[in-house]
Every structure is written in structure tokens, then in C-alpha cells.
Coordinates of all heavy atoms in Angstrom, one line a residue:
M1 N -21.6 -61.1 35.3 CA -23.0 -61.5 34.8 C -23.4 -60.7 33.7 O -23.2 -59.5 33.6 CB -24.0 -61.4 36.0 CG -25.4 -61.7 35.5 SD -26.6 -61.4 36.8 CE -26.9 -63.2 37.2
G2 N -23.9 -61.4 32.6 CA -24.4 -60.6 31.4 C -25.7 -59.9 31.7 O -26.3 -60.1 32.7
K3 N -26.1 -59.2 30.7 CA -27.4 -58.5 30.7 C -28.6 -59.4 30.6 O -29.6 -59.1 31.2 CB -27.4 -57.5 29.5 CG -28.6 -56.5 29.5 CD -28.4 -55.5 28.4 CE -29.5 -54.5 28.5 NZ -29.4 -53.4 27.4
Y4 N -28.4 -60.5 29.9 CA -29.5 -61.5 29.7 C -29.1 -62.9 30.2 O -27.9 -63.3 30.0 CB -30.0 -61.5 28.3 CG -30.4 -60.3 27.7 CD1 -29.6 -59.4 27.0 CD2 -31.7 -59.8 28.0 CE1 -30.0 -58.2 26.5 CE2 -32.1 -58.6 27.5 CZ -31.2 -57.8 26.7 OH -31.7 -56.6 26.3
I5 N -30.0 -63.6 30.7 CA -29.9 -65.0 31.1 C -30.7 -65.8 30.1 O -31.9 -65.7 30.2 CB -30.3 -65.3 32.6 CG1 -29.4 -64.4 33.5 CG2 -30.1 -66.7 32.9 CD1 -30.0 -64.3 34.9
I6 N -30.0 -66.6 29.3 CA -30.7 -67.5 28.3 C -31.4 -68.6 29.1 O -30.7 -69.4 29.8 CB -29.8 -68.0 27.3 CG1 -29.1 -66.9 26.5 CG2 -30.6 -69.0 26.3 CD1 -29.9 -66.0 25.7
E7 N -32.7 -68.8 29.0 CA -33.4 -69.8 29.6 C -33.5 -71.1 28.8 O -33.1 -72.2 29.3 CB -34.8 -69.4 30.0 CG -35.0 -68.1 30.8 CD -34.4 -68.2 32.2 OE1 -34.3 -69.3 32.7 OE2 -34.1 -67.1 32.8
Y8 N -33.9 -71.0 27.5 CA -34.0 -72.1 26.6 C -34.2 -71.6 25.2 O -34.7 -70.5 25.0 CB -35.0 -73.2 27.1 CG -36.4 -72.7 27.2 CD1 -37.3 -72.7 26.2 CD2 -36.9 -72.2 28.5 CE1 -38.5 -72.3 26.3 CE2 -38.2 -71.7 28.6 CZ -39.0 -71.8 27.5 OH -40.3 -71.3 27.6
E9 N -34.0 -72.5 24.3 CA -34.3 -72.2 22.8 C -35.7 -72.4 22.6 O -36.3 -73.4 23.0 CB -33.5 -73.2 22.0 CG -33.6 -72.9 20.5 CD -32.8 -73.9 19.7 OE1 -31.6 -74.0 20.0 OE2 -33.4 -74.4 18.7
L10 N -36.4 -71.5 22.0 CA -37.8 -71.5 21.6 C -38.0 -72.2 20.2 O -38.8 -73.0 20.0 CB -38.4 -70.1 21.6 CG -38.6 -69.5 22.9 CD1 -39.0 -68.0 22.7 CD2 -39.6 -70.2 23.8
N11 N -37.1 -71.8 19.3 CA -37.3 -72.3 17.9 C -36.0 -71.9 17.1 O -35.3 -71.0 17.3 CB -38.5 -71.6 17.2 CG -39.0 -72.3 16.0 OD1 -38.5 -73.5 15.7 ND2 -39.9 -71.7 15.3
E12 N -35.8 -72.8 16.1 CA -34.7 -72.6 15.1 C -35.2 -72.7 13.7 O -35.9 -73.7 13.4 CB -33.5 -73.5 15.4 CG -32.4 -73.3 14.4 CD -31.1 -74.1 14.6 OE1 -31.1 -74.9 15.6 OE2 -30.2 -73.9 13.9
G13 N -35.0 -71.7 12.9 CA -35.5 -71.8 11.5 C -34.3 -71.7 10.5 O -33.2 -71.7 11.0
G14 N -34.6 -71.5 9.3 CA -33.5 -71.4 8.3 C -32.7 -70.1 8.5 O -31.6 -70.0 8.0
F15 N -33.3 -69.2 9.2 CA -32.7 -67.8 9.3 C -32.0 -67.6 10.7 O -31.0 -66.9 10.8 CB -33.7 -66.8 8.9 CG -33.1 -65.4 8.7 CD1 -32.3 -65.2 7.6 CD2 -33.4 -64.4 9.5 CE1 -31.8 -63.9 7.4 CE2 -32.9 -63.2 9.4 CZ -32.1 -62.9 8.3
G16 N -32.7 -68.0 11.7 CA -32.3 -67.6 13.0 C -32.7 -68.6 14.1 O -33.4 -69.5 13.9
I17 N -32.2 -68.3 15.3 CA -32.5 -69.1 16.5 C -33.1 -68.1 17.5 O -32.6 -67.0 17.7 CB -31.3 -69.7 17.2 CG1 -30.5 -70.6 16.1 CG2 -31.7 -70.5 18.4 CD1 -29.2 -71.1 16.6
T18 N -34.2 -68.5 18.1 CA -35.0 -67.6 19.1 C -34.9 -68.3 20.4 O -35.1 -69.5 20.5 CB -36.4 -67.4 18.6 OG1 -36.5 -67.0 17.2 CG2 -37.2 -66.5 19.5
Y19 N -34.6 -67.4 21.4 CA -34.4 -67.9 22.8 C -35.3 -67.1 23.7 O -35.6 -66.0 23.5 CB -33.0 -67.7 23.3 CG -31.9 -68.4 22.5 CD1 -31.3 -67.7 21.5 CD2 -31.5 -69.7 22.8 CE1 -30.2 -68.3 20.7 CE2 -30.5 -70.3 22.0 CZ -29.9 -69.6 21.0 OH -28.9 -70.2 20.3
Q20 N -35.8 -67.8 24.7 CA -36.5 -67.2 25.9 C -35.4 -66.8 26.9 O -34.5 -67.7 27.2 CB -37.5 -68.0 26.5 CG -38.2 -67.3 27.7 CD -39.3 -68.0 28.3 OE1 -40.2 -68.5 27.6 NE2 -39.3 -68.2 29.5
A21 N -35.4 -65.6 27.4 CA -34.3 -65.2 28.3 C -35.0 -64.3 29.3 O -36.1 -63.8 29.3 CB -33.2 -64.5 27.5
T22 N -34.2 -64.0 30.3 CA -34.6 -63.0 31.3 C -33.6 -61.9 31.4 O -32.4 -62.1 31.3 CB -34.5 -63.7 32.7 OG1 -35.5 -64.8 32.7 CG2 -34.9 -62.7 33.9
H23 N -34.1 -60.6 31.3 CA -33.2 -59.4 31.5 C -32.8 -59.4 32.9 O -33.6 -59.3 33.9 CB -34.1 -58.2 31.1 CG -33.2 -56.9 31.1 ND1 -32.6 -56.4 32.1 CD2 -32.9 -56.2 29.9 CE1 -32.0 -55.3 31.8 NE2 -32.1 -55.2 30.5
A24 N -31.5 -59.5 33.1 CA -30.9 -59.7 34.5 C -31.3 -58.6 35.5 O -31.6 -58.8 36.6 CB -29.4 -60.0 34.4
L25 N -31.1 -57.4 35.0 CA -31.3 -56.3 35.9 C -32.8 -55.9 36.1 O -33.2 -55.6 37.2 CB -30.6 -55.0 35.3 CG -29.1 -55.0 35.3 CD1 -28.6 -53.8 34.6 CD2 -28.5 -55.2 36.7
L26 N -33.6 -56.1 35.1 CA -35.1 -55.8 35.2 C -35.9 -57.0 35.7 O -37.1 -56.9 36.0 CB -35.6 -55.3 33.9 CG -34.9 -54.0 33.3 CD1 -35.5 -53.7 32.0 CD2 -35.1 -52.9 34.3
N27 N -35.3 -58.2 35.7 CA -36.0 -59.4 36.0 C -37.3 -59.5 35.1 O -38.4 -59.9 35.6 CB -36.4 -59.5 37.4 CG -36.8 -60.9 37.8 OD1 -36.3 -61.9 37.3 ND2 -37.6 -61.0 38.8
A28 N -37.1 -59.2 33.8 CA -38.2 -59.2 32.8 C -37.9 -60.3 31.8 O -36.8 -60.6 31.4 CB -38.3 -57.9 32.2
L29 N -39.0 -61.0 31.4 CA -38.9 -62.0 30.4 C -38.8 -61.3 29.0 O -39.5 -60.4 28.7 CB -40.2 -62.8 30.4 CG -40.4 -64.0 29.5 CD1 -39.4 -65.1 29.9 CD2 -41.8 -64.6 29.6
V30 N -37.8 -61.8 28.2 CA -37.6 -61.3 26.9 C -37.4 -62.5 25.9 O -37.2 -63.6 26.3 CB -36.3 -60.4 26.9 CG1 -36.5 -59.2 27.8 CG2 -35.1 -61.2 27.3
V31 N -37.4 -62.1 24.7 CA -37.1 -63.1 23.6 C -35.9 -62.5 22.9 O -35.9 -61.3 22.5 CB -38.3 -63.3 22.6 CG1 -37.9 -64.1 21.5 CG2 -39.5 -63.9 23.4
I32 N -34.9 -63.3 22.5 CA -33.7 -63.0 21.8 C -33.6 -63.8 20.6 O -33.8 -65.0 20.6 CB -32.4 -63.1 22.7 CG1 -32.5 -62.2 23.9 CG2 -31.2 -62.8 21.8 CD1 -31.4 -62.5 24.9
K33 N -33.4 -63.1 19.4 CA -33.2 -63.8 18.2 C -31.8 -63.5 17.6 O -31.4 -62.4 17.6 CB -34.3 -63.4 17.1 CG -34.2 -64.3 15.8 CD -35.4 -64.0 15.0 CE -35.4 -64.8 13.7 NZ -36.4 -64.5 12.7
T34 N -31.1 -64.6 17.2 CA -29.8 -64.4 16.6 C -29.7 -65.1 15.3 O -30.4 -66.1 15.0 CB -28.7 -65.0 17.5 OG1 -28.9 -66.4 17.6 CG2 -28.7 -64.3 18.9
P35 N -28.9 -64.7 14.3 CA -28.7 -65.5 13.1 C -28.1 -66.8 13.5 O -27.4 -67.0 14.4 CB -27.6 -64.7 12.3 CG -27.7 -63.3 12.9 CD -28.1 -63.5 14.3
N36 N -28.6 -67.9 12.7 CA -28.0 -69.2 13.0 C -26.6 -69.4 12.5 O -26.2 -68.6 11.6 CB -29.0 -70.3 12.6 CG -29.1 -70.5 11.1 OD1 -28.1 -70.2 10.4 ND2 -30.2 -71.0 10.7
A37 N -25.9 -70.3 13.0 CA -24.5 -70.6 12.7 C -24.3 -70.9 11.3 O -23.3 -70.5 10.7 CB -23.9 -71.6 13.7
K38 N -25.2 -71.6 10.7 CA -25.0 -72.0 9.2 C -24.9 -70.8 8.3 O -24.1 -70.7 7.4 CB -26.1 -72.9 8.7 CG -26.2 -74.3 9.4 CD -27.3 -75.1 8.8 CE -28.6 -74.7 9.4 NZ -29.7 -75.6 9.0
L39 N -25.7 -69.7 8.7 CA -25.7 -68.6 7.8 C -24.3 -67.8 7.9 O -23.9 -67.2 6.9 CB -26.7 -67.5 8.3 CG -28.1 -67.8 7.8 CD1 -29.1 -66.7 8.4 CD2 -28.2 -67.9 6.3
Q40 N -23.6 -67.9 9.0 CA -22.4 -67.2 9.1 C -21.3 -67.7 8.2 O -20.4 -67.0 7.8 CB -21.9 -67.3 10.6 CG -22.8 -66.6 11.5 CD -22.4 -66.8 13.0 OE1 -21.3 -67.3 13.2 NE2 -23.2 -66.4 13.9
K41 N -21.5 -68.9 7.6 CA -20.5 -69.5 6.7 C -21.0 -69.2 5.2 O -20.2 -69.5 4.3 CB -20.4 -70.9 6.9 CG -19.8 -71.2 8.2 CD -19.8 -72.7 8.6 CE -19.4 -73.0 9.9 NZ -19.6 -74.3 10.4
D42 N -22.2 -68.7 5.0 CA -22.7 -68.4 3.7 C -22.0 -67.2 3.0 O -21.8 -66.2 3.7 CB -24.2 -68.2 3.8 CG -24.9 -68.2 2.4 OD1 -24.5 -67.3 1.6 OD2 -25.8 -69.0 2.2
P43 N -21.6 -67.3 1.7 CA -20.9 -66.2 1.1 C -21.9 -64.9 1.0 O -21.4 -63.8 0.8 CB -20.6 -66.7 -0.3 CG -21.2 -68.0 -0.5 CD -21.7 -68.5 0.9
E44 N -23.2 -65.1 1.1 CA -24.1 -64.0 1.1 C -24.5 -63.5 2.5 O -25.5 -62.9 2.7 CB -25.3 -64.4 0.4 CG -25.1 -64.9 -1.1 CD -24.8 -63.8 -2.0 OE1 -25.5 -62.7 -1.8 OE2 -23.9 -63.9 -2.8
Y45 N -23.7 -63.8 3.5 CA -24.0 -63.6 4.9 C -24.3 -62.1 5.1 O -25.2 -61.7 5.9 CB -22.8 -64.0 5.8 CG -23.1 -63.7 7.3 CD1 -24.0 -64.4 8.0 CD2 -22.3 -62.7 8.0 CE1 -24.3 -64.2 9.3 CE2 -22.6 -62.5 9.3 CZ -23.6 -63.3 10.0 OH -23.8 -63.0 11.3
D46 N -23.6 -61.1 4.5 CA -23.9 -59.7 4.6 C -25.3 -59.3 4.3 O -26.0 -58.6 4.9 CB -22.9 -58.9 3.9 CG -21.5 -58.9 4.4 OD1 -21.4 -59.3 5.6 OD2 -20.6 -58.5 3.7
K47 N -25.8 -60.0 3.2 CA -27.2 -59.8 2.8 C -28.2 -60.3 3.9 O -29.2 -59.7 4.1 CB -27.5 -60.4 1.5 CG -26.8 -59.7 0.3 CD -27.1 -60.3 -1.0 CE -26.3 -59.6 -2.1 NZ -26.6 -60.2 -3.5
F48 N -27.9 -61.5 4.4 CA -28.7 -62.0 5.5 C -28.7 -61.1 6.7 O -29.8 -60.9 7.3 CB -28.2 -63.4 5.9 CG -28.5 -64.5 4.9 CD1 -27.5 -65.1 4.2 CD2 -29.8 -64.9 4.5 CE1 -27.7 -66.1 3.3 CE2 -30.1 -65.8 3.6 CZ -29.0 -66.5 3.0
V49 N -27.6 -60.5 7.0 CA -27.5 -59.6 8.2 C -28.4 -58.4 7.9 O -29.1 -57.9 8.8 CB -26.1 -59.2 8.5 CG1 -26.0 -58.1 9.5 CG2 -25.3 -60.4 9.0
E50 N -28.4 -57.9 6.7 CA -29.2 -56.8 6.3 C -30.7 -57.0 6.5 O -31.5 -56.3 7.1 CB -29.0 -56.3 4.9 CG -27.7 -55.5 4.7 CD -27.5 -55.1 3.2 OE1 -28.5 -54.9 2.5 OE2 -26.4 -55.2 2.8
R51 N -31.1 -58.3 6.1 CA -32.5 -58.7 6.2 C -32.9 -58.9 7.7 O -34.0 -58.5 8.1 CB -32.7 -60.0 5.5 CG -32.9 -59.8 4.0 CD -33.1 -61.2 3.2 NE -34.1 -62.0 3.8 CZ -34.2 -63.3 3.7 NH1 -33.3 -63.9 3.0 NH2 -35.2 -64.0 4.2
F52 N -31.9 -59.4 8.5 CA -32.1 -59.7 9.9 C -32.3 -58.3 10.6 O -33.3 -58.2 11.4 CB -30.9 -60.4 10.5 CG -31.0 -60.9 11.8 CD1 -31.7 -62.1 12.1 CD2 -30.6 -60.2 12.9 CE1 -31.8 -62.5 13.4 CE2 -30.7 -60.6 14.2 CZ -31.3 -61.8 14.4
V53 N -31.5 -57.4 10.3 CA -31.7 -56.0 10.9 C -32.9 -55.4 10.5 O -33.7 -54.8 11.3 CB -30.4 -55.2 10.6 CG1 -30.7 -53.7 11.0 CG2 -29.2 -55.7 11.3
K54 N -33.3 -55.5 9.2 CA -34.6 -54.9 8.7 C -35.8 -55.5 9.4 O -36.7 -54.9 9.9 CB -34.7 -55.0 7.2 CG -35.9 -54.4 6.7 CD -35.9 -54.4 5.1 CE -35.3 -53.0 4.8 NZ -35.4 -52.6 3.5
E55 N -35.7 -56.9 9.6 CA -36.8 -57.6 10.3 C -36.9 -57.1 11.8 O -38.0 -56.8 12.3 CB -36.6 -59.1 10.3 CG -37.6 -59.8 11.1 CD -37.2 -61.3 11.2 OE1 -37.2 -62.0 10.1 OE2 -37.1 -61.9 12.3
A56 N -35.8 -56.9 12.4 CA -35.7 -56.4 13.8 C -36.3 -55.0 13.9 O -37.1 -54.7 14.8 CB -34.3 -56.4 14.3
Q57 N -36.0 -54.1 12.9 CA -36.6 -52.8 12.9 C -38.0 -52.8 12.7 O -38.8 -52.1 13.4 CB -35.9 -52.0 11.8 CG -34.4 -51.7 12.1 CD -33.7 -51.1 10.9 OE1 -34.1 -51.3 9.8 NE2 -32.6 -50.4 11.2
I58 N -38.5 -53.6 11.9 CA -40.0 -53.8 11.6 C -40.7 -54.3 12.8 O -41.7 -53.7 13.3 CB -40.3 -54.7 10.4 CG1 -39.8 -54.0 9.1 CG2 -41.7 -55.0 10.3 CD1 -39.8 -54.9 7.9
L59 N -40.1 -55.3 13.5 CA -40.8 -55.9 14.7 C -40.8 -54.9 15.8 O -41.7 -54.7 16.6 CB -40.1 -57.1 15.1 CG -40.3 -58.4 14.2 CD1 -39.5 -59.5 14.6 CD2 -41.8 -58.8 14.3
Y60 N -39.7 -54.1 15.9 CA -39.6 -53.1 16.9 C -40.7 -52.1 16.7 O -41.4 -51.7 17.6 CB -38.2 -52.4 16.9 CG -38.1 -51.3 17.9 CD1 -37.9 -51.5 19.2 CD2 -38.3 -49.9 17.5 CE1 -37.8 -50.4 20.1 CE2 -38.2 -48.8 18.3 CZ -37.9 -49.1 19.7 OH -37.9 -48.1 20.6
Q61 N -40.8 -51.6 15.5 CA -41.9 -50.6 15.2 C -43.3 -51.2 15.5 O -44.1 -50.5 16.1 CB -41.8 -50.1 13.7 CG -42.6 -48.9 13.4 CD -42.1 -47.7 14.2 OE1 -40.9 -47.5 14.3 NE2 -43.0 -47.0 14.7
L62 N -43.6 -52.4 15.1 CA -44.8 -53.0 15.4 C -45.0 -53.1 16.9 O -46.2 -52.9 17.3 CB -44.9 -54.4 14.7 CG -45.1 -54.4 13.2 CD1 -45.0 -55.9 12.7 CD2 -46.4 -53.9 12.8
G63 N -44.0 -53.5 17.6 CA -44.2 -53.6 19.1 C -44.4 -52.3 19.7 O -45.0 -52.2 20.8
Q64 N -44.0 -51.2 19.1 CA -44.2 -49.8 19.7 C -45.6 -49.3 19.4 O -46.3 -48.7 20.2 CB -43.2 -48.9 19.2 CG -41.8 -49.2 19.5 CD -41.5 -49.4 20.9 OE1 -41.8 -48.6 21.7 NE2 -41.0 -50.6 21.3
D65 N -46.1 -49.7 18.2 CA -47.4 -49.1 17.6 C -48.6 -49.9 18.0 O -49.7 -49.4 17.9 CB -47.3 -49.0 16.1 CG -46.2 -48.0 15.7 OD1 -45.8 -47.1 16.5 OD2 -45.9 -48.0 14.5
T66 N -48.5 -51.1 18.4 CA -49.6 -52.0 18.6 C -49.6 -52.7 20.0 O -48.5 -52.8 20.6 CB -49.8 -53.0 17.5 OG1 -48.7 -53.9 17.6 CG2 -49.9 -52.4 16.1
R67 N -50.7 -53.2 20.4 CA -50.8 -54.0 21.6 C -51.4 -55.3 21.2 O -52.5 -55.6 21.6 CB -51.7 -53.3 22.7 CG -51.0 -52.1 23.3 CD -50.0 -52.6 24.3 NE -49.4 -51.5 25.0 CZ -48.4 -51.6 25.8 NH1 -47.8 -52.8 25.9 NH2 -47.9 -50.6 26.5
H68 N -50.7 -56.1 20.4 CA -51.2 -57.4 20.0 C -50.6 -58.5 20.8 O -49.4 -58.4 21.0 CB -50.9 -57.6 18.5 CG -51.6 -58.7 17.9 ND1 -51.2 -60.0 18.0 CD2 -52.7 -58.7 17.1 CE1 -52.1 -60.8 17.4 NE2 -53.0 -60.1 16.8
R69 N -51.3 -59.5 21.2 CA -50.8 -60.5 22.1 C -49.8 -61.4 21.4 O -49.0 -62.1 22.1 CB -51.9 -61.4 22.7 CG -52.7 -62.1 21.6 CD -53.9 -62.8 22.2 NE -54.6 -63.6 21.2 CZ -55.0 -64.8 21.3 NH1 -54.7 -65.5 22.4 NH2 -55.5 -65.4 20.3
H70 N -49.7 -61.3 20.1 CA -48.7 -62.1 19.4 C -47.4 -61.3 19.0 O -46.6 -61.9 18.3 CB -49.3 -62.9 18.2 CG -50.3 -63.9 18.6 ND1 -50.1 -65.0 19.3 CD2 -51.6 -63.9 18.4 CE1 -51.1 -65.7 19.5 NE2 -52.2 -65.0 19.0
I71 N -47.4 -60.1 19.3 CA -46.2 -59.2 18.9 C -45.6 -58.8 20.3 O -46.3 -58.1 21.0 CB -46.7 -58.0 18.1 CG1 -47.2 -58.5 16.8 CG2 -45.4 -57.2 17.8 CD1 -47.8 -57.4 15.9
V72 N -44.4 -59.1 20.4 CA -43.7 -58.7 21.7 C -43.1 -57.4 21.5 O -42.8 -56.9 20.5 CB -42.6 -59.8 22.1 CG1 -43.2 -61.1 22.4 CG2 -41.5 -59.8 21.0
K73 N -42.9 -56.6 22.6 CA -42.4 -55.3 22.6 C -40.9 -55.5 22.5 O -40.2 -56.3 23.3 CB -42.7 -54.6 23.9 CG -42.2 -53.1 23.8 CD -42.6 -52.3 25.0 CE -42.0 -50.9 24.9 NZ -42.5 -50.0 25.8
A74 N -40.2 -54.8 21.6 CA -38.8 -54.9 21.4 C -38.1 -53.8 22.3 O -38.6 -52.7 22.4 CB -38.4 -54.7 19.9
I75 N -37.0 -54.2 22.9 CA -36.2 -53.3 23.7 C -34.8 -53.2 23.2 O -34.4 -54.0 22.5 CB -36.3 -53.5 25.2 CG1 -35.7 -54.9 25.5 CG2 -37.7 -53.4 25.8 CD1 -35.6 -55.3 26.9

């Protein structure tokens, strides 16, 4: 069994796919975002990955610093 159980897809955009999942050990609701498959074939994929990681870092920091109902805590 993996660490997360994917429940369903929440949304797909030009950059990534977001899923609602459950953390298997903690039984906690989480959201997982991954780059979409189309980007993996793009010659500029490395740049997209850099942007993706930067976005994750920003969201993580916002989730730590604030208690806003529209910002989830990143783990």
C-alpha cells in the first residue's frame, strides 16, 4: 500500500493535475498536484518543473504562515 490513496481528480489545467487523496497512515484528507502528461513531452519541460517546484515552495510557505480557508497546509 502506498502513502496516499487517490480518491478522485479535482481539476486539470495547462500546467498540472490536482487530486483529492487520503494520507493512508494518518487517515487525513490531502490534495496532490502533479505536472500533466502533456508537459513531460515539451522540450522546455525542465523549466516547467522549476516553476512547479517554486509554486509548491510558495504554497508551502503560505500554508505555514496563514490560516486562510482557501489555502491548504502543505506537508
Side-chain angles (χ1 to χ4, degrees):
M1 175 183 254
K3 187 174 182 179
Y4 300 97
I5 301 164
I6 304 294
E7 305 293 339
Y8 57 90
E9 183 179 313
L10 291 170
N11 195 12
E12 180 175 359
F15 193 67
I17 304 171
T18 307
Y19 301 93
Q20 179 174 310
T22 300
H23 189 291
L25 294 175
L26 301 176
N27 194 31
L29 185 63
V30 297
V31 174
I32 297 173
K33 184 173 181 182
T34 63
N36 70 29
K38 290 185 284 186
L39 281 182
Q40 295 176 10
K41 297 174 186 168
D42 192 296
E44 301 288 317
Y45 181 67
D46 290 342
K47 290 182 183 179
F48 287 115
V49 170
E50 285 180 33
R51 285 180 48 206
F52 189 83
V53 169
K54 182 170 266 188
E55 177 185 299
Q57 291 169 335
I58 291 167
L59 289 172
Y60 176 80
Q61 194 62 42
L62 287 171
Q64 301 305 306
D65 294 343
T66 62
R67 288 284 188 192
H68 192 282
R69 64 187 178 128
H70 296 295
I71 300 175
V72 297
K73 182 174 180 172
I75 56 172

